[in-house]
Amino acid sequence: MHEYTSTLRIWELTCPGYLEEVGRARRWTRDILSDSDHADDAALIVTELGTNALLHSASGNQGEAFNLTISRAPETVLISVTDAGGTRTTPHVAHPDENDTHGRGLALVSTLAQRLHINGDDKHGHTVTAELSTAPETPNTPLTHGYWCECLVNGGKLGSFDATSPEQAIRWVRISLMTIAMALDEEPYRQAQHWKNHEQPQALEALRKGEPQHLTLKHRTTHITWTARPVTFLPMAHRQGRILPACTQMHSTAQLTSLRGE
C-alpha cells in the first residue's frame, strides 16, 4: 500500500508510575476510539495492562513509566503496553481460584481480545499487545434470548456480561460482587455476604420469572450497583463458547482506587 494512502494510524502515550495514570490512559483511549465499537473493550484492556505494569514491574517505581500505543486500521485495533522491566516472570494468563482477588488481568484481556501477544524480557521490559478485530457481518443472524448484566460505579459502567441463563447471570453478579466487596469497608462487605448467603436464591427465582434484579453497595462516597435483566440480543461471536468471561473477576483494590480518582 502506498504510504500516502495508508489508513493505519498510531498514537503513543507515556504514563508515569502512578495509579492515577491508569485513569488518564483509559480516558485517552476512549477519546481516540470514540467512534469505534471497540472503545469500551479497549478501555478495559488499557486498565488491566496499565495496572499490571505498575503493580508487577519497575514501571511503578519512582521516575519510571509505562508506554501505551494504539494502532488503528479499518478492521483492527492494536493496544500495546510496554513496562519498564524488573519482573521475575514473563506476563502470562493465570487461572486463579474464585476467591482470589488478584491474577485475573491477562485473563480478562485474553477474553476481550481476538489475539494476545507477549514479547520482550525482564531487562528491557515486556510488551503485551491485544488485538481487537471487527468480525465480518453475518446475514440473518437470529436474535437470542438472554440476560444482560452490568456493574456500575457512580453511574459509570465498570463491567458487563451477556449471560445465556438466569443461573449464569446470578453467578456473574455473585463473583464480581464478592471480589469487589473484599476491597470495601466492613458494612458494605457485610451486606454483600448477606446477599450471597440469604438473598441470592430469591434473586435467581425472580430473574427466572423475568423480573430485573439490582443490588447497590455504598463505600464512602462511591455507589456500586449490579443489575441483571432479561434481554434479546445478537450473540457476540468472539465470546461464544466461553462459559464465564474473566471480566467478571477483573476487580481489585488498585483498580477501584484508580476509578474513584478518575
Side-chain angles (χ1 to χ4, degrees):
M1 179 179 293
H2 192 279
E3 61 177 332
Y4 296 115
T5 61
S6 173
T7 55
L8 175 66
R9 301 185 65 187
I10 299 175
W11 295 263
E12 294 183 344
L13 180 69
T14 298
C15 299
Y18 305 100
L19 284 175
E20 305 85 62
E21 290 295 306
V22 175
R24 182 169 75 97
R26 182 168 53 243
R27 293 190 295 272
W28 181 78
T29 300
R30 283 202 177 104
D31 287 343
I32 290 174
L33 301 176
S34 59
D35 61 341
S36 170
D37 293 337
H38 296 307
D40 287 341
D41 284 350
L44 287 176
I45 288 172
V46 166
T47 297
E48 290 297 338
L49 296 184
T51 300
N52 284 351
L54 294 177
L55 296 181
H56 304 300
S57 80
S59 293
N61 296 343
Q62 185 173 4
E64 297 289 352
F66 68 87
N67 296 311
L68 169 61
T69 302
I70 296 178
S71 305
R72 184 176 181 182
E75 296 184 356
T76 305
V77 174
L78 298 179
I79 302 164
S80 300
V81 169
T82 302
D83 62 39
T87 58
R88 295 184 178 181
T89 61
T90 299
H92 61 282
V93 177
H95 301 283
D97 294 334
E98 179 177 309
N99 294 325
D100 291 340
T101 58
H102 299 284
R104 299 183 172 91
L106 286 186
L108 164 66
V109 174
S110 68
T111 299
L112 297 175
Q114 276 67 50
R115 296 179 183 85
L116 187 65
H117 309 277
I118 301 174
N119 302 293
D121 54 37
D122 177 61
K123 181 178 180 180
H124 301 96
H126 291 96
T127 298
V128 180
T129 300
E131 178 180 335
L132 298 171
S133 299
T134 302
E137 293 186 3
T138 302
N140 300 322
T141 301
L143 294 174
T144 302
H145 295 288
Y147 300 83
W148 181 244
C149 311
E150 289 185 313
C151 178
L152 307 174
V153 176
N154 289 339
K157 184 167 68 174
L158 180 61
S160 61
F161 177 53
D162 43 340
T164 59
S165 67
E167 293 78 10
Q168 197 177 53
I170 293 298
R171 181 171 179 245
W172 184 90
V173 172
R174 183 184 74 245
I175 293 176
S176 58
L177 169 69
M178 297 313 302
T179 302
I180 291 180
M182 295 180 70
L184 306 182
D185 291 338
E186 181 178 352
E187 178 57 24
Y189 178 77
R190 184 192 63 77
Q191 293 174 0
Q193 286 281 10
H194 184 269
W195 183 91
K196 174 186 174 184
N197 296 330
H198 302 288
E199 299 179 19
Q200 184 180 179
Q202 292 89 336
L204 175 59
E205 186 60 29
L207 194 59
R208 285 171 175 164
K209 296 178 181 178
E211 301 173 9
Q213 297 299 298
H214 73 276
L215 168 67
T216 298
L217 299 182
K218 182 178 180 181
H219 174 75
R220 302 172 191 174
T221 60
T222 302
H223 289 78
I224 310 172
T225 300
W226 288 262
T227 64
R229 57 188 174 87
V231 294
T232 301
F233 52 73
L234 285 169
M236 301 176 67
H238 70 286
R239 290 186 183 175
Q240 289 177 356
R242 299 183 183 275
I243 299 303
L244 190 66
C247 56
T248 62
Q249 306 171 14
M250 66 172 285
H251 315 288
S252 68
T253 302
Q255 291 160 337
L256 286 174
T257 302
S258 175
L259 187 67
R260 286 197 296 268
E262 184 174 293

